[in-house]
Amino acid sequence: MLKVAILLMLLATLISLFSGLVFLVRDESRSSRLLTSLTLRVVLTLITLALIAWGFFSGQLTPHVTW
């Protein structure tokens, strides 16, 4: 379940990234949609990192190391 949540957050971050690109190319200079998209992307990334850290801390995620 945690892995699905992390994947959904990464997908939402990518969608926000590409919407920000569209706003950068098409919007006027006075529009605040680009700033809103950037803020959302930062928040989504922080939530994703928090989910990953929580997963390692709780033991739901383990590093896969092969030598």
Side-chain angles (χ1 to χ4, degrees):
M1 188 69 168
L2 181 63
K3 291 179 184 180
V4 173
I6 291 171
L7 286 175
L8 287 176
M9 295 302 293
L10 288 173
L11 182 64
T13 303
L14 284 175
I15 291 170
S16 176
L17 177 69
F18 285 112
S19 68
L21 177 65
V22 170
F23 297 150
L24 179 65
V25 172
R26 293 190 180 174
D27 275 358
E28 300 173 3
S29 61
R30 297 189 185 266
S31 177
S32 66
R33 292 194 304 177
L34 180 62
L35 181 62
T36 305
S37 174
L38 174 64
T39 304
L40 178 64
R41 188 167 56 246
V42 169
V43 169
L44 289 172
T45 303
L46 289 175
I47 293 171
T48 304
L49 288 173
L51 283 174
I52 292 170
W54 180 60
F56 280 122
F57 181 75
S58 68
Q60 294 181 22
L61 297 176
T62 57
H64 181 70
V65 179
T66 57
W67 295 100

